[in-house]
Amino acid sequence: MKSQYRVVVIGGGVVGASVLYHLAKFGWSDVVMLERRRLASGSSWHAAGGIHALNADPNMASLQAYTIDLLSEIEKESGQNIGLHMTGGLTLAGTPERWEWLQANYRIFQSIGIDDCELLSPEEAQKRCPIMSTDGVLGAMWADREGYIDTTGTVQAYATAARKRGAEYYEETKVEELIQTADGWQVVTDRGTITCEHVVNAAGLWAKQVGRMAGIELPVSPLKHHYLITDTVPEVAEADFEMPMTVDLEGFTYMRQDQKGVLVGIYEVDHEHWAMDGAPWTYGEELFQEQLDRIETELTLGFERYPSIQNVGIKTWVNGAFTFSPDGNPLVGPVPGKPGYWSACAVMAGFLQGGGVGKTLAEWMIHGEPEADAWPMDVARYGDFAQNKRYIRETTGQFYSRRFVMTYPNEQLPAGRPLKMAPAHDAMTEAGCKWGVSWDLEVPLYFAPKDFEETPTLKRSNAFDIVAEECKVIREGAGLLDISGFSRFEVSGPNAQAWLDKVMASKLPAPGRAKLAPMLGENGRLKGDLTVLNWGDGKWWIMGSYYLRAWHMRWFDDHMIDGVDIRDLGEEYCGFAVVGPKSQGVVEKLAEQDISGLGFMGCGDFDIGLVRARVARMSVTGEKGYEINCRYGDHIKLRRMLLEAGADEGIRECGFNAMLSTRLEKSFGIWSAEFTQLYTPGMTGMDRWIDWDKDFVGKEAALAERDGNGPAQVQVTLEVDALDADASGYEPIWSGNDRVGFVTSGGYGHYTGKSLAMALVNRDKAEPGTELTVHVVGVERPARVIAPSPYDPQGKAMRG
């Protein structure tokens, strides 16, 4: 073992070994992996080893598809048998809603290029898994590339393949301390100290302690997980093929063949945490006693689903620990505020996702950006609030218990909530506000009668008419919207303007003006759809999506120069927007200065009644509007004044659901839908905001797109002939039998009376009037490309 490496990977499980392999594969061979005990100690050795394609998050499904493709390559390259059994797999649906969801996801898989799936009847499913009962099964989805592997052999294969490419790994080497230096890190082990540029925390059950060594409190926790292995099952032994990997969603179980018996795993609703502060250093290859009372219900369902196992014994019980994040996705990437420290942990499905995690992290480290959109597993999707132990306990427990529970897009889950609340939260709740959450903050969805409860559904919910009324208020009167859920960054200092001019691809606004500003990565793909405001006093604001606060601040810090100070104002400023044709009349009653002179995209300091506010004349709804930003302590007073001043104008409080409906009617894109790290300015229409005459981050790549053949797909607006459901995202778009694009977001345009979707489609299908079809909750519906902005295409309303 040398005293200096470029990268030290801490943890010799499947994730650490995959990171090591990919770093070496992509050209960094001066890397080492340290394992405190033996390879695959911890969670890897006792994992069930199942591999399957289904994931509700399309980005994670793509990650899993990459890992599945990689497995045979790793086996061949290393010469290590990984025990790959590609049996195919079934996912069973036992309720009408689940069957609808499965049909919808089958189509979404087509959008992301996973074409080896098919839908089956219960009888067809039973032919492929003859030991299963079809009682209660309404349908199933089959995937060819599902099965299982030998877990220890797979870890050895990754590590051996990495060593063949020049990487090193050492067992029985415990990391005891991390010391940050000016040039990187010192890794203190029980066998000596190593100096390196980068440290990767792939410590699995010990990720919490390895984070704390660097002053980081990662939002991870281990939970216990059961599976059993039966003795020989005669029906299995007599079959001339292997039983497929089978997931019974309503039964909370998964099953695969194990020799001549079967393995049945359980995601029990009655979850149990273990070692929330990290596993003991002496723990490695131990298991817990099975807890039959805790899994009785799920165990009974499993034995009913596979009746033949009722007549055989149980050979082995496994009750072991796996680490989970609050949403169940991995925590990957550079940790904000800790240069050279990388996270690769909370990969609860390590053998299914580990290959993709290793690829992503290696690309990120070597090239500055991963090929795929890493947001769903980016460690920066959480902020300091997620360090709280109760928050971690509640959210990880909720995820575990709901691992196989149906979750609806309009469903609001309770764990870790409410946490942060804008000051007027209680008064708005009294007024009927129904809340969602963005990052740590409660955000208003809509206002309803106090006894109203929204029904979770894949289709239009019973809140449909309530949101329609709020949209009408926005379009015809004056709506009041809490905008605490926007991010705000203040940029100042002698080089503030020069820095902004470099990181933003647009022209900067003049004093007293605001401007939409795309921000690009070096690869020319989007890093933000932001708004820059020039207050004229030497201070600038950047406004964007609230849940991206830590992610954007990391980007800003990574591109910082001397003479610039940037502050996240998310704990200092909040506010309200007044939107609609009567909005000026409301604000004029309170403004001490002449608000009528504030033109579209203008901004300035105003006295709004007793509140000193920073006001911008703009609105996401496409109506005339004023965004009034105030200090947190002024939020309650500002709301009261605006409601009183707007009483004669019929002002009404509205929520984000109405804002999202009205923005669709304007063909306004949003981040994580129309705009992501995968997309370019040319694809999304953001190129119209670029100032090509200046130098900016990502210009070379953006010019290559502009001056080359252009993007293969471009953004369009669709009108969909929908019935009782609307498109939401990733649904495939068809021209005849050809898949020509996919939906980026959708919903109902309440004021236009149209079901709308924004989509990326092939350029030759982007002309208005082009007839297409799109699957909505699994049902193919006619659709057509329409001109952008079906409401007020000239923009007269918002310009006043």
Side-chain angles (χ1 to χ4, degrees):
M1 187 171 71
K2 300 185 299 185
S3 62
Q4 186 167 348
Y5 293 88
R6 193 168 198 173
V7 183
V8 173
V9 179
I10 302 173
V14 64
V15 176
S18 174
V19 170
L20 189 77
Y21 167 75
H22 283 91
L23 284 169
K25 182 178 182 178
F26 297 158
W28 281 16
S29 59
D30 186 24
V31 295
V32 66
M33 179 173 70
L34 306 179
E35 165 54 44
R36 52 175 258 299
R37 200 159 180 174
R38 289 176 293 277
L39 292 186
S41 295
S43 297
S44 290
W45 76 271
H46 65 71
I51 51 175
H52 54 91
L54 183 66
N55 192 298
D57 185 325
N59 288 299
M60 297 306 295
S62 296
L63 187 86
Q64 293 172 186
Y66 169 81
T67 304
I68 293 170
D69 289 339
L70 180 67
L71 289 171
S72 57
E73 180 182 331
I74 288 294
E75 183 174 53
K76 182 178 180 181
E77 185 174 340
S78 65
Q80 167 73 45
N81 182 11
I82 67 170
L84 177 61
H85 295 251
M86 199 63 81
T87 63
L90 289 168
T91 300
L92 309 180
T95 66
E97 295 81 8
R98 181 81 76 174
W99 181 224
E100 275 189 328
W101 176 83
L102 210 55
Q103 294 173 82
N105 274 269
Y106 166 67
R107 295 300 179 181
I108 288 173
F109 280 8
Q110 291 180 317
S111 284
I112 61 177
I114 299 176
D115 295 318
D116 58 347
C117 300
E118 59 180 308
L119 297 172
L120 304 178
S121 69
E123 294 73 26
E124 290 170 327
Q126 190 179 48
K127 286 181 181 179
R128 303 198 188 192
C129 183
I131 66 169
M132 71 172 248
S133 164
T134 59
D135 288 351
V137 177
L138 300 182
M141 186 167 71
W142 172 268
D144 288 340
R145 294 184 308 157
E146 299 201 352
Y148 63 97
I149 45 86
D150 168 46
T151 58
T152 301
T154 301
V155 176
Q156 291 284 355
Y158 275 117
T160 301
R163 180 174 279 176
K164 286 185 174 183
R165 290 180 176 270
E168 300 176 24
Y169 68 84
Y170 296 93
E171 298 174 295
E172 303 294 343
T173 305
K174 179 175 175 286
V175 174
E176 298 181 329
E177 186 180 6
L178 294 176
I179 302 171
Q180 191 169 7
T181 67
D183 301 317
W185 295 85
Q186 287 184 344
V187 181
V188 181
T189 80
D190 57 2
R191 295 176 59 183
T193 298
I194 299 171
T195 300
C196 61
E197 296 176 39
H198 304 278
V199 168
V200 178
N201 181 350
L205 294 172
W206 296 268
K208 181 72 78 172
Q209 295 101 306
V210 175
R212 287 174 175 169
M213 288 178 185
I216 300 161
E217 194 71 24
L218 290 167
V220 297
S221 177
L223 285 97
K224 296 180 179 179
H225 176 66
H226 284 86
Y227 67 79
L228 62 89
I229 300 173
T230 71
D231 289 327
T232 296
V233 178
E235 292 89 339
V236 173
E238 294 167 6
D240 59 359
F241 62 91
E242 278 199 270
M243 296 300 113
M245 167 68 72
T246 304
V247 178
D248 181 8
L249 297 168
E250 269 62 60
F252 304 94
T253 62
Y254 58 87
M255 183 279 295
R256 69 164 175 83
Q257 187 163 330
D258 189 282
Q259 300 182 53
K260 294 181 180 181
V262 298
L263 178 154
V264 179
I266 298 167
Y267 277 98
E268 54 270 30
V269 174
D270 183 15
H271 63 265
E272 183 175 314
H273 288 86
W274 175 74
M276 286 194 66
D277 290 317
W281 290 113
T282 55
Y283 179 84
E285 296 174 355
E286 298 84 3
L287 294 171
F288 311 110
Q289 182 69 34
E290 62 269 22
Q291 300 165 289
L292 299 184
D293 56 334
R294 192 161 62 83
I295 63 173
E296 179 180 2
T297 299
E298 296 86 354
L299 193 61
T300 300
L301 292 172
F303 275 75
E304 290 174 350
R305 178 61 64 210
Y306 311 104
S308 57
I309 69 174
Q310 297 175 16
N311 303 315
V312 300
I314 296 175
K315 179 169 60 177
T316 305
W317 275 103
V318 172
N319 183 13
F322 296 88
T323 53
F324 292 79
S325 72
D327 63 4
N329 280 351
L331 296 172
V332 178
V335 174
K338 294 290 179 180
Y341 188 99
W342 301 75
S343 176
C345 56
V347 190
M348 62 99 179
F351 291 92
L352 179 59
Q353 298 173 349
V357 167
K359 174 180 181 288
T360 298
L361 193 72
E363 290 172 339
W364 210 334
M365 192 178 292
I366 295 170
H367 304 299
E369 292 289 336
E371 180 184 21
D373 181 5
W375 170 254
M377 57 181 177
D378 194 324
V379 67
R381 73 186 185 276
Y382 292 106
D384 291 345
F385 66 91
Q387 298 179 10
N388 179 274
K389 193 169 185 177
R390 177 167 292 186
Y391 178 90
I392 296 169
R393 182 188 301 114
E394 288 186 14
T395 53
T396 54
Q398 176 180 264
F399 172 81
Y400 187 96
S401 292
R402 295 181 61 87
R403 179 78 172 92
F404 286 168
V405 173
M406 181 84 178
T407 298
Y408 298 89
N410 69 322
E411 189 173 12
Q412 295 298 318
L413 301 180
R417 296 179 56 199
L419 181 52
K420 184 180 179 184
M421 295 168 278
H425 176 275
D426 288 355
M428 293 169 67
T429 301
E430 184 65 23
C433 186
K434 303 298 180 181
W435 298 94
V437 64
S438 176
W439 220 37
D440 61 341
L441 177 69
E442 297 293 305
V443 294
L445 299 180
Y446 53 84
F447 288 75
K450 291 182 180 178
D451 59 350
F452 177 82
E453 293 292 335
E454 185 172 4
T455 303
T457 179
L458 295 173
K459 300 180 178 180
R460 294 173 188 164
S461 83
N462 54 331
F464 185 83
D465 292 339
I466 293 171
V467 176
E469 284 298 312
E470 293 186 5
C471 292
K472 184 177 181 181
V473 168
I474 288 171
R475 293 284 185 239
E476 298 181 359
L480 182 65
L481 177 69
D482 175 22
I483 56 169
S484 301
F486 294 173
S487 69
R488 300 163 177 85
F489 299 92
E490 181 187 80
V491 185
S492 60
N495 292 326
Q497 182 169 339
W499 178 77
L500 284 166
D501 207 33
K502 180 72 172 179
V503 297
M504 302 298 171
S506 66
K507 288 183 179 179
L508 295 184
R513 302 289 298 167
K515 189 175 284 290
L516 297 179
M519 187 168 68
L520 309 183
E522 283 83 355
N523 55 15
R525 300 189 306 199
L526 296 175
K527 273 292 181 181
D529 63 320
L530 303 164
T531 303
V532 175
L533 301 95
N534 183 351
W535 297 108
D537 59 357
K539 290 184 172 61
W540 307 69
W541 275 17
I542 303 170
M543 294 186 68
S545 300
Y546 186 87
Y547 65 94
L548 298 176
R549 281 172 57 189
W551 186 72
H552 272 144
M553 182 59 89
R554 183 181 66 193
W555 176 259
F556 297 150
D557 286 342
D558 287 347
H559 294 78
M560 191 49 60
I561 61 174
D562 291 337
V564 179
D565 180 60
I566 184 164
R567 290 196 301 132
D568 182 344
L569 301 178
E571 309 305 316
E572 300 176 40
Y573 273 83
C574 53
F576 286 94
V578 186
V579 294
K582 297 181 180 180
S583 58
Q584 183 174 328
V586 175
V587 179
E588 278 183 331
K589 291 181 181 180
L590 293 171
E592 294 294 326
Q593 298 85 4
D594 180 14
I595 201 79
S596 65
L598 188 65
F600 179 60
M601 297 302 285
C603 63
D605 292 324
F606 288 85
D607 293 327
I608 305 299
L610 290 173
V611 174
R612 186 67 175 163
R614 309 210 96 163
V615 181
R617 170 84 192 279
M618 55 190 182
S619 168
V620 180
T621 66
E623 290 293 337
K624 189 171 188 176
Y626 298 84
E627 294 185 357
I628 305 170
N629 302 281
C630 67
R631 298 175 301 170
Y632 253 76
D634 296 331
H635 192 246
I636 295 172
K637 180 63 174 178
L638 179 61
R639 174 180 175 271
R640 288 177 183 171
M641 291 189 302
L642 290 169
L643 288 174
E644 291 170 2
D648 294 341
E649 307 287 354
I651 196 170
R652 174 173 169 173
E653 291 189 274
C654 303
F656 278 26
N657 285 10
M659 182 184 75
L660 291 172
S661 173
T662 52
R663 71 94 186 169
L664 275 174
E665 294 180 322
K666 290 296 296 173
S667 300
F668 288 166
I670 56 173
W671 194 262
S672 291
E674 285 66 52
F675 311 129
T676 79
Q677 298 176 83
L678 280 180
Y679 307 153
T680 66
M683 294 170 67
T684 58
M686 291 294 280
D687 54 344
R688 67 184 182 274
W689 303 110
I690 289 179
D691 179 7
W692 297 103
D693 293 329
K694 71 169 192 175
D695 186 30
F696 56 87
V697 175
K699 182 177 182 178
E700 183 177 350
L703 279 172
E705 178 185 59
R706 186 195 72 174
D707 298 338
N709 295 324
Q713 293 186 321
V714 293
Q715 195 83 55
V716 298
T717 301
L718 299 178
E719 181 181 350
V720 183
D721 294 343
L723 294 176
D724 58 352
D726 303 292
S728 58
Y730 288 104
E731 295 92 343
I733 297 169
W734 306 89
S735 177
N737 293 323
D738 297 326
R739 191 170 67 242
V740 297
F742 62 95
V743 171
T744 52
S745 70
Y748 194 76
H750 287 279
Y751 201 72
T752 58
K754 299 177 185 295
S755 182
L756 300 171
M758 297 183 72
L760 283 170
V761 300
N762 297 349
R763 286 162 60 187
D764 63 346
K765 302 297 181 184
E767 284 298 313
T770 303
E771 295 288 337
L772 303 166
T773 62
V774 59
H775 277 88
V776 179
V777 193
V779 178
E780 193 168 9
R781 303 297 306 166
R784 68 207 56 84
V785 179
I786 61 175
S789 193
Y791 172 78
D792 187 28
Q794 302 302 317
K796 294 179 179 179
M798 63 184 179
R799 289 176 171 81

